[in-house]
Amino acid sequence: MNSFVEKIKKVDSRDAKLGMAHFYVAFIGLFIGGMAGLLQTLVRSGQFTLPAGIGYYQLLTLHGVVLALVMTTYFIMGFQLVSVSRTAGTLTNKQRNTGWVGFWLMTIGTVMAAVMILLNEASVLYTFYAPLQAHALFYVGLTLVIVGSWVSGSAIIMAYVAWRRKNPGQPSPLLTFMSLVNTLMWIVATIGVATTVLFQLLPWSLGLVERVDVAISRTLFWYFGHPLVYFWLLPAYMAWYVIVPKIIGGKIFSDSLARLSFILFLLFSIPVGFHHQLMEPGIDPAWKFLQVVLTFMVIIPSLMTAFSLFATFETFGRSKGATGLFGWLKKLPWGDARFLIPFIGMLSFIPGGAGGIINASNQMNQVIHNTIWVTGHFHLTVATAVILTFFGISYWLIPHLTGRTLTKAMNKLAILQGVLWAIGMTFMSGAMHFAGLLGAPRRSAYSEYGGAAQAAEWVPYQIAQAVGGSILFIAIILVLYIFINLAFFAPKGEEEFPVGEAANTTEKAPMILENWKLWLGLVVLLIAFAYTIPFIDLIENAPIGSKGYKLW
Amino acid sequence: MHIHKFEKIWLIFGVTTLLVFLSVIGVSAFYLGNQPPSCLATINPEKVDTTAPFDKPGLNKVEGKEWDYELVYVASAFNYTPGEVEVPLGAKVKVLATTKDVVHGFNVAGTNINMMLEPGYISEYVTTFDKAGEYLIVCNEYCGAGHHMMSSMIKVVE
Amino acid sequence: MAQPGLEKKTSTKVEDQSSLKGTLASVFLLGFFLIITWVGVFLLFVNRF
Ligand code: HEM
Ligand SMILES: [Cu+2]
Ligand SMILES: [Cu+2]
């Protein structure tokens, strides 16, 4: 290929370094978290006890914090920074340095939180619900992670603004647009968790105030907690909408509809936190139901996404001569890990999404709330759909950034990894779903509950989870092996950063989609609508606050 | 913005399905009274043992109310009081619970009685115990090192 | 990386080239799956006390 074109399409090596720094941390996190996950399933099978005085809940805190908060955030920040660099042009020195400041802030914070967890000073799980009280440094660490992510996010915003200024009247490159939407959503959402940590939990853990308002702290947490899951999901959607079509050799079904769905996510993923608090006292059921309705709105862009993806695949297959209703399936490049791994992720999002609709269905939440069903649910969504897509991205992005290539042998290994993940997760998540319907609780070490007959029924499912967990752990070892190969040992070469083109290039995306005053204004209005009155109620009717407890 | 005819069909079908789901749970919640537990009453978590009805945990017969019994639980790390209760089959019961310390869960396994207990708040749920059997109550919100030991038992008997 | 079996072919042309009927069928299968699972748990909810 023409070397001039190649140059434009390659992420600048300085930006690549910034991206790789994020990925190193993410994959170290994957190893630690995966190890913890394996041990959890073993403990829960009843066949294994933890050595060296490690507590189950200490381990579970590590697993949740390292995987759900740290690994995801690093991967996403790294991926978005290099996507912007690839599509909107190399970052300026100022933007790149901002990215580095964000990276180091997050890293200092991560180390602080991790040390506190390892010292058993913070076995409060990744949701750190008051009035369980962790060491103040745990909260400081989490704050630094969030502030760091804001700083990194501002690098993305700066790059977007600079591009728009240089290209007036033009819709921004699709990946840049999507990265920006996710960054904006993240910033608006993290204000909630930052508020409870900085103004409630930190002063309280330092002893500056004696009591904390538990219900308000939880509500602020879940104002953040739901958009958190969309913050994980949207980068996967970026890959599904924009990158996978290019990998298979097809086109993006519709650029405008992809943007529209991202705008809908921005609008509706925040004012919905009550669907995590449906079983809680102190919140009026009418307000819960209102947020349930808003939650259902955020399903619509996922319905659009499903259509777009199938349409991309079908259009591609038919362009290759496929006939019949499903003949196009045969034309897809099943032997290409860059396609297959995200595709398994897409498939897992079908039961994942189905479970999500059930969880959000107001009183139906009583059937599954805080049972192990929920754990099964998000291991399909984040720990399969999202994470497999991230792996699929890594298999071309890491070599792209390090100037190496994905060899045939590594591609094979990657496929094996994806298949093992699918099998392991079917066992683990499937067993979790069924046990959950029987009432088995989540976040619980092995227990026979005094010999209760019901608890005995859960044990076979817990053994199935351990089988699945062991298979998953093998898959994680494979991922790490491939990652190390791609980062340090794979043959030098040029690996493509695939960016798809729209099927219809004459249709320009409507500029209203880039009108941030409008969208952010609507975001604020929706949040105010969904939260103002319930918050006033919580404050006005607040019971006496709670002192801190350290019950581990 | 062009939308393909099939995509329109799909979105109409999908959105209609969501509206049906919402209508079903909406009617069930607002007209049939199946709201999720959302009690607004508060309590001083440090004075639970001396505040009615939590000064008398257990199954208490009541008169002149929509339910026949009140089943009162006090939760604290890592147990529920009472630890075991017998409920007559078919009894209409209001389950009331609160916590003296941290957040706990309250799930009667295999039933719809599933609620969060938060310090300062009372949680309640009214239901008819219409299936005999032994039901394990588990704490399903992490509350500390003994969380998985925290349980109680309801026997629904003829 | 080399993409197995992905050489550009421009010739093959079939009459239903732009049809999205497979997509429509797929999303409807997805839709029915959502309905079946939802109804399943709803029935559990209704049958439990
Ligand atoms: C080897 C792969 C994995 C295994 C075996 C595994 C296993 C588990 C198990 C058994 C639990 C539940 C424990 C309990 O509720 O008592 C759990 C919780 C959790 N897992 Fe995983 N997991 C794996 C990968 C992941 C990944 C990749 C992510 C996220 C990206 C993840 C995120 C979480 C979260 C957020 C929780 C909830 C923690 C909590 O309730 O506080 N897991 N995992
Ligand atoms: Cu949510
Ligand atoms: Cu507990």
Side-chain angles (χ1 to χ4, degrees):
Chain A
M1 202 184 278
N2 181 321
S3 72
F4 174 69
V5 176
E6 271 304 294
K7 241 189 212 114
I8 302 177
K9 285 187 173 171
K10 200 150 167 54
V11 171
D12 181 272
S13 65
R14 291 160 300 172
D15 295 347
K17 245 196 189 147
L18 175 60
M20 283 306 293
H22 287 83
F23 297 139
Y24 291 132
V25 180
F27 282 86
I28 293 170
L30 179 70
F31 176 67
I32 298 172
M35 189 78 127
L38 172 67
L39 294 175
Q40 284 153 219
T41 58
L42 295 180
V43 169
R44 290 170 46 87
S45 75
Q47 309 291 316
F48 174 82
T49 35
L50 289 169
I54 305 171
Y56 179 80
Y57 301 105
Q58 184 181 11
L59 202 63
L60 186 56
T61 306
L62 191 70
H63 182 77
V65 169
V66 163
L67 288 175
L69 302 181
V70 173
M71 187 262 267
T72 48
T73 308
Y74 274 88
F75 189 91
I76 291 166
M77 285 301 166
F79 174 55
Q80 292 185 162
L81 283 166
V82 297
S83 293
V84 169
S85 164
R86 163 75 169 76
T87 55
T90 302
L91 302 180
T92 63
N93 287 339
K94 187 171 158 219
Q95 291 160 6
R96 190 178 312 108
N97 290 339
T98 309
W100 278 112
V101 173
F103 171 82
W104 284 111
L105 282 174
M106 295 205 309
T107 306
I108 296 168
T110 300
V111 170
M112 283 169 82
V115 168
M116 286 303 119
I117 295 170
L118 295 177
L119 293 176
N120 201 21
E121 290 291 338
S123 296
V124 290
L125 306 190
Y126 84 108
T127 44
F128 48 87
Y129 292 141
L132 287 172
Q133 189 182 58
H135 195 286
L137 286 181
F138 176 75
Y139 301 118
V140 175
L142 293 181
T143 308
L144 285 176
V145 173
I146 292 165
V147 172
S149 73
W150 289 345
V151 175
S152 297
S154 65
I156 289 171
I157 297 175
M158 290 191 295
Y160 171 84
V161 170
W163 191 94
R164 284 292 301 282
R165 205 163 284 148
K166 255 189 267 159
N167 302 272
Q170 291 300 313
S172 54
L174 189 49
L175 277 182
T176 297
F177 176 91
M178 292 170 152
S179 301
L180 179 78
V181 169
N182 204 25
T183 303
L184 294 177
M185 186 189 73
W186 177 248
I187 292 173
V188 177
T190 42
I191 291 170
V193 68
T195 306
T196 180
V197 171
L198 277 181
F199 296 104
Q200 292 189 285
L201 305 180
L202 191 55
W204 172 68
S205 66
L206 287 170
L208 300 178
V209 296
E210 195 191 12
R211 291 169 188 273
V212 69
D213 186 316
V214 171
I216 287 180
S217 171
R218 295 172 70 83
T219 305
L220 285 169
F221 181 88
W222 283 114
Y223 162 95
F224 150 81
H226 189 78
L228 170 68
V229 312
Y230 278 97
F231 173 69
W232 300 332
L233 186 63
L234 291 193
Y237 274 25
M238 284 164 67
W240 297 357
Y241 268 117
V242 187
I243 289 164
V244 167
K246 174 75 175 185
I247 289 174
I248 66 173
K251 299 275 187 207
I252 298 170
F253 177 62
S254 163
D255 174 285
S256 311
L257 286 176
R259 289 176 202 254
L260 176 65
S261 79
F262 268 60
I263 292 291
L264 291 176
F265 282 121
L266 174 64
L267 294 181
F268 292 109
S269 55
I270 303 173
V272 298
F274 282 176
H275 69 226
H276 294 264
Q277 299 180 280
L278 290 167
M279 300 300 110
E280 293 189 16
I283 303 171
D284 190 280
W287 286 105
K288 289 180 179 172
F289 193 76
L290 178 104
Q291 292 207 8
V292 164
V293 174
L294 291 172
T295 305
F296 273 56
M297 303 283 289
V298 85
I299 299 168
I300 297 170
S302 281
L303 298 180
M304 293 167 57
T305 305
F307 189 93
S308 289
L309 299 177
F310 282 122
T312 298
F313 297 150
E314 178 166 16
T315 310
F316 166 74
R318 291 195 186 280
S319 77
K320 291 277 170 271
T323 51
L325 199 52
F326 292 115
W328 43 275
L329 278 172
K330 286 197 217 101
K331 302 284 178 188
L332 296 174
W334 299 110
D336 186 342
R338 302 171 310 158
F339 163 74
L340 180 68
I341 310 303
F343 185 84
I344 298 174
M346 295 175 195
L347 282 188
S348 75
F349 204 64
I350 295 175
I357 299 177
I358 291 165
N359 301 345
S361 292
N362 207 44
Q363 67 273 29
M364 277 162 70
N365 187 259
Q366 285 164 227
V367 178
I368 52 82
H369 176 74
N370 269 357
T371 68
I372 196 82
W373 157 291
V374 176
T375 316
H377 162 71
F378 60 70
H379 280 83
L380 285 180
T381 51
V382 62
T384 304
V386 170
I387 277 298
L388 280 188
T389 304
F390 288 1
F391 294 162
I393 292 170
S394 305
Y395 294 152
W396 51 262
L397 182 55
I398 305 298
H400 177 89
L401 298 179
T402 54
R404 298 175 188 275
T405 55
L406 177 70
T407 59
K408 280 224 166 67
M410 283 301 136
N411 182 60
K412 266 209 188 112
L413 217 51
I415 288 176
L416 176 65
Q417 175 269 312
V419 171
L420 283 178
W421 198 282
I423 297 171
M425 198 53 90
T426 305
F427 273 96
M428 187 174 95
S429 170
M432 285 175 164
H433 276 89
F434 285 110
L437 289 177
L438 298 175
R442 68 181 284 200
R443 303 184 140 176
S444 297
Y446 181 74
S447 172
E448 291 172 1
Y449 291 102
Q454 277 175 311
E457 281 176 31
W458 304 334
V459 174
Y461 293 99
Q462 280 152 213
I463 291 173
Q465 290 161 32
V467 172
S470 308
I471 299 173
L472 282 168
F473 189 70
I474 298 173
I476 285 189
I477 298 296
L478 287 181
V479 177
L480 292 167
Y481 178 76
I482 301 168
F483 175 79
I484 291 170
N485 174 277
L486 294 176
F488 303 110
F489 301 109
K492 294 270 178 199
E494 300 264 324
E495 184 72 47
E496 181 196 7
F497 187 139
V499 178
E501 283 163 27
N504 183 353
T505 41
T506 51
E507 189 195 50
K508 200 180 115 182
M511 287 312 288
I512 189 170
L513 292 170
E514 315 235 4
N515 186 340
W516 304 108
K517 281 199 190 96
L518 172 67
W519 302 123
L520 287 177
L522 279 174
V523 166
V524 172
L525 275 181
L526 278 166
I527 293 171
F529 172 52
Y531 270 113
T532 308
I533 295 177
F535 252 114
I536 293 175
D537 283 347
L538 281 173
I539 293 169
E540 281 189 340
N541 305 326
I544 179 175
S546 286
K547 295 181 183 165
Y549 290 87
K550 188 171 178 241
L551 295 175
W552 63 87
Chain B
M1 212 179 303
H2 169 74
I3 302 190
H4 190 280
K5 189 174 99 203
F6 284 178
E7 179 157 17
K8 283 186 193 146
I9 296 177
W10 162 238
L11 287 179
I12 290 171
F13 172 80
V15 172
T16 311
T17 306
L18 295 179
L19 285 175
V20 171
F21 288 176
L22 280 176
S23 312
V24 169
I25 56 180
V27 169
S28 164
F30 289 91
Y31 292 94
L32 305 178
N34 296 316
Q35 292 283 13
S38 308
C39 178
L40 302 175
T42 57
I43 185 173
N44 183 335
E46 283 153 20
K47 300 198 174 122
V48 168
D49 289 332
T50 53
T51 309
F54 298 100
D55 51 349
K56 283 203 212 74
L59 188 71
N60 305 317
K61 183 110 182 92
V62 293
E63 301 293 338
K65 299 199 176 166
E66 271 175 57
W67 43 88
D68 314 315
Y69 296 91
E70 289 183 350
L71 180 50
V72 180
Y73 283 95
V74 175
S76 63
F78 300 102
N79 57 66
Y80 299 102
T81 317
E84 188 178 321
V85 155
E86 285 195 2
V87 177
L89 181 65
K92 190 167 185 191
V93 179
K94 178 181 206 171
V95 183
L96 293 120
T98 193
T99 164
K100 297 205 277 188
D101 43 43
V102 295
V103 177
H104 295 282
F106 187 96
N107 183 198
V108 184
T111 78
N112 293 333
I113 308 170
N114 191 352
M115 48 199 189
M116 304 296 299
L117 313 183
E118 291 177 15
Y121 289 88
I122 296 170
S123 295
E124 58 179 44
Y125 192 72
V126 179
T127 190
T128 303
F129 286 66
D130 57 10
K131 286 187 195 67
E134 295 192 356
Y135 295 91
L136 176 67
I137 304 177
V138 288
C139 178
N140 62 5
E141 183 54 272
Y142 171 63
C143 52
H147 162 59
H148 54 290
M149 314 301 268
M150 185 162 165
S151 67
S152 179
M153 181 64 87
I154 296 182
K155 294 185 173 162
V156 181
V157 292
E158 304 263 351
Chain C
M1 199 204 75
Q3 299 161 28
L6 270 189
E7 314 85 85
K8 286 246 152 45
K9 269 184 254 162
T10 38
S11 56
T12 17
K13 165 89 187 158
V14 200
E15 66 281 50
D16 63 349
Q17 232 221 47
S18 67
S19 163
L20 288 181
K21 59 184 183 188
T23 300
L24 190 66
S26 308
V27 287
F28 267 82
L29 284 177
L30 161 68
F32 292 135
F33 180 74
L34 299 181
I35 294 174
I36 291 167
T37 49
W38 190 88
V39 170
V41 176
F42 182 72
L43 290 178
L44 265 184
F45 174 78
V46 171
N47 286 319
R48 289 176 170 185
F49 65 78

